[in-house]
Amino acid sequence: MVRVTVLGSGDAYGSGGRLHSAYLVESPGATFLLDCGPTVLQGMKRAGRDPGVVDFVLVSHLHGDHFGGLPFLFMEYHYEKPRTRPFAVYGPADTERRAHAAYAALYEKTAAEPVRYPIRWGTLAAGQTHAIGAVQVTAFAVPHVSDLLSLGFRIDVAGKSILYSGDSAWTEEFVVRSRGVDLFLCECSMYETHLDIHVSYPEIAARAVALGCRRLVLSHLGSEPLRHLGELSLECARDGMTLDL
Ligand SMILES: [Zn+2]
Ligand SMILES: [Zn+2]
């Protein structure tokens, strides 16, 4: 079985008091995080999980609500539960430099100390499928902001498939890519306001019947969709929710 636990279903602004983007994927072959927002340790510990179980992290893009938890994971592995086994972070080009810069800004002295466990940094190229142990990760560019590359992921693990939008404007590519996947985790930051960097609820609601996924769950929920939560027909994530595939 593959279990996805929504650690954080909120947007960058912590709308509704929800935690930042992070999803824990537990499978027979690997345990990993899809994005790693600043509140990742709170999310893991609320869910009763030891952050040490994470084998690797997939970062969709270099916005703080998606990778700002890496310094806190490093602190956990340095002091709270010293780590010895390997760890890896995969993301767009520049992920290593940006994560180091964030760590150094937040914990200057510790960030300069030697890391006591092997850490591997890998770049996920858009349009390519990467084999990470037993996990196949297909990264693709999604339309978000113009100043950086944002990735969506199709993940194949233990016979199950997950499509993850990352942060993205609505794109018809999601219709094509969602065909046959077990779970489509799609961002939904807006409701009334149309932006060309995020999905608004009416956009995905209009396309929902065209999606061929077995289960669609909206997340990265902003204040607008949260104000309408009681009237939304599409399934919305909440912090701590588990999705068994
Ligand atoms: Zn975001
Ligand atoms: Zn973003």
Side-chain angles (χ1 to χ4, degrees):
M1 187 179 72
V2 175
R3 169 168 284 184
V4 179
T5 302
V6 178
L7 302 179
S9 58
D11 64 357
Y13 314 110
S15 296
R18 291 172 180 236
L19 301 187
H20 286 131
S21 291
Y23 306 87
L24 178 70
V25 183
E26 294 166 290
S27 71
T31 298
F32 57 98
L33 288 171
L34 258 181
D35 275 335
C36 185
T39 52
V40 66
L41 293 182
Q42 290 90 329
M44 291 286 291
K45 292 176 186 184
R46 283 182 195 178
R49 300 300 199 291
D50 174 1
V53 301
V54 176
D55 299 315
F56 63 87
V57 175
L58 299 175
V59 173
S60 67
H61 67 298
L62 297 173
H63 276 161
D65 55 315
H66 297 260
F67 84 105
L70 288 171
F72 297 100
L73 269 187
F74 296 152
M75 286 293 285
E76 170 87 10
Y77 298 159
H78 196 91
Y79 294 114
E80 186 72 359
K81 285 267 186 84
R83 184 174 181 125
T84 53
R85 70 189 192 91
F87 183 63
V89 182
Y90 300 90
D94 223 23
T95 298
E96 180 176 3
R97 184 187 69 81
R98 290 283 304 276
H100 277 308
Y103 193 20
L106 295 174
Y107 298 100
E108 190 176 36
K109 180 176 165 289
T110 309
E113 291 174 11
V115 179
R116 291 186 291 256
Y117 51 91
I119 178 160
R120 176 188 153 80
W121 295 87
T123 297
L124 297 175
Q128 287 186 16
T129 298
H130 307 260
I132 303 172
V135 187
Q136 300 274 332
V137 180
T138 303
F140 55 98
V142 293
H144 185 36
V145 293
S146 59
D147 56 295
L148 51 78
L149 172 65
S150 294
L151 298 172
F153 299 126
R154 181 199 161 110
I155 293 158
D156 288 275
V157 57
K160 302 293 180 181
S161 52
I162 302 164
L163 181 67
Y164 177 57
S165 67
D167 277 9
S168 176
W170 177 255
T171 163
E172 289 301 308
E173 193 175 353
F174 290 147
V175 177
V176 177
R177 289 192 180 271
S178 68
R179 206 159 290 151
V181 299
D182 293 291
L183 172 67
F184 178 19
L185 266 176
C186 189
E187 78 122 286
C188 183
S189 301
M190 314 303 292
Y191 191 100
E192 293 87 352
T193 309
H194 172 81
L195 296 177
D196 58 6
I197 61 170
H198 285 298
V199 172
S200 64
Y201 185 85
E203 287 175 301
I204 188 158
R207 305 299 288 134
V209 288
L211 299 175
C213 51
R214 291 197 174 80
R215 189 169 181 182
L216 168 67
V217 176
L218 305 183
S219 194
H220 198 278
L221 297 160
S223 58
E224 288 187 357
L226 288 175
R227 271 197 291 275
H228 292 270
L229 207 52
E231 64 200 65
L232 305 183
S233 55
L234 301 179
E235 186 177 14
C236 292
R238 47 188 167 66
D239 294 2
M241 176 189 222
T242 55
L243 305 159
D244 290 335
L245 310 185

